[in-house]
Amino acid sequence: MTERTFSIIKPDATRRNLTGAINAVIEAAGLRIVAQRRVKLTDAQAKTFYEVHAERPFYGELVGQMTAEPVVVQVLEGDNAMAKYREVMGATNPKDAAEGTIRKLFALSIGENSVHGSDSLENAAIEIAQFFKAEDIVG
């Protein structure tokens, strides 16, 4: 079933010029990038995006990391896109990530793990709407 999911290439990866390399892994996995934009998140955008973690001890650090440098926000499309992208990203801790996954290849640490992907189709729709209008998605 064709689905859409949301992806962020995080500041640790954009700072190291890895956008193209990460996109190559995404596309090799059979996912299409149907919308993409490089943005510098404001403090308010990052706080809204990570609101679910507001009570967690790492929240402030996470917001700080995500606003430090530009990110690349994307909409990915494909068969079972959400589950497929989560598999392609790899485990949050790059030490636990499978060979060939984005985080095994590019992440620096648990905190600087290069990419974000939606954890459900419901959250994907919410996250996509935070950054893209329907007419921006041209798959």
Side-chain angles (χ1 to χ4, degrees):
M1 177 176 149
T2 299
E3 298 173 346
R4 286 185 174 159
T5 194
F6 182 72
S7 165
I8 297 177
I9 300 176
K10 294 181 176 181
D12 70 274
T14 62
R15 178 179 67 244
R16 294 178 290 142
N17 266 347
L18 295 175
T19 302
I22 289 171
N23 283 344
V25 175
I26 291 168
E27 291 177 334
L31 294 166
R32 292 187 53 186
I33 301 165
V34 295
Q36 179 175 253
R37 188 165 78 239
R38 187 179 185 96
V39 297
K40 182 109 168 48
L41 294 180
T42 65
D43 197 57
Q45 284 175 312
K47 284 180 176 176
T48 298
F49 190 81
Y50 287 107
E51 189 172 32
V52 66
H53 298 302
E55 300 303 316
R56 308 284 295 271
F58 59 81
Y59 178 69
E61 182 182 345
L62 178 61
V63 169
Q65 284 177 343
M66 294 301 292
T67 57
E69 311 246 359
V71 299
V72 176
V73 292
Q74 302 174 310
V75 179
L76 309 180
E77 185 177 84
D79 290 336
N80 300 308
M82 195 270 307
K84 183 177 281 188
Y85 186 52
R86 294 200 59 82
E87 183 181 319
V88 169
M89 285 191 311
T92 302
N93 184 340
K95 292 177 184 171
D96 299 332
E99 290 298 325
T101 61
I102 293 169
R103 289 175 172 155
K104 187 66 161 189
L105 292 167
F106 304 115
L108 299 173
S109 66
I110 291 176
E112 291 186 306
N113 61 19
S114 299
V115 288
H116 161 86
S118 301
D119 61 2
S120 70
L121 291 176
E122 179 182 76
N123 284 340
I126 292 166
E127 292 172 351
I128 288 167
Q130 187 175 342
F131 292 97
F132 295 98
K133 297 177 190 156
E135 61 266 22
D136 295 331
I137 304 170
V138 295

